[in-house]
Amino acid sequence: MIEAYKILHGMYDLNVFPALVRNMDSRLRGNALKLAVHRSRIDIQKFYFCNRMVKCWNSLPDCITSCGSLNSFKVSLDKHYKQNAIYFDFEAEL
């Protein structure tokens, strides 16, 4: 998620890293930086970084994805994951 934040906020050179396609449909719920799912023809493209992280990124609330700095994003993301431990911790007790 940290790498996706860096790519979307322009902290990397876009000539080097893959461009993440934003979903510009205004009818969607969730955060303002929702990403579009890239449909792939061949199986190997399904497992690229850009396709694996879209579902998890789109599930984050807007207050986390629109943080002003990288450190505030990390802190907000940690708080979010601790509050929803059952969804993200595969070894959590039910």
Side-chain angles (χ1 to χ4, degrees):
M1 293 300 98
I2 295 170
E3 295 301 318
Y5 178 85
K6 288 179 181 179
I7 292 171
L8 287 171
H9 286 85
M11 295 181 184
Y12 285 136
D13 184 13
L14 292 179
N15 295 328
V16 178
F17 284 91
L20 299 175
V21 181
R22 291 189 45 204
N23 195 345
M24 295 301 193
D25 193 4
S26 63
R27 297 174 290 164
L28 298 175
R29 298 179 190 168
N31 62 46
L33 294 173
K34 276 199 173 274
L35 299 174
V37 178
H38 176 67
R39 306 284 183 208
S40 53
R41 294 182 302 115
I42 55 178
D43 284 341
I44 196 164
Q45 290 178 347
K46 292 179 186 177
F47 305 110
Y48 285 170
F49 169 75
C50 297
N51 289 336
R52 286 187 319 217
M53 51 76 58
V54 168
K55 187 176 179 181
C56 189
W57 178 264
N58 288 343
S59 69
L60 293 175
D62 192 35
C63 60
I64 295 175
T65 59
S66 62
C67 287
S69 69
L70 182 61
N71 286 334
S72 63
F73 174 76
K74 289 178 185 180
V75 170
S76 300
L77 189 65
D78 285 341
K79 286 180 184 177
H80 177 70
Y81 282 164
K82 286 180 183 176
Q83 289 174 354
N84 300 321
I86 192 69
Y87 297 114
F88 300 104
D89 185 12
F90 296 110
E91 297 176 358
E93 294 184 26
L94 297 175

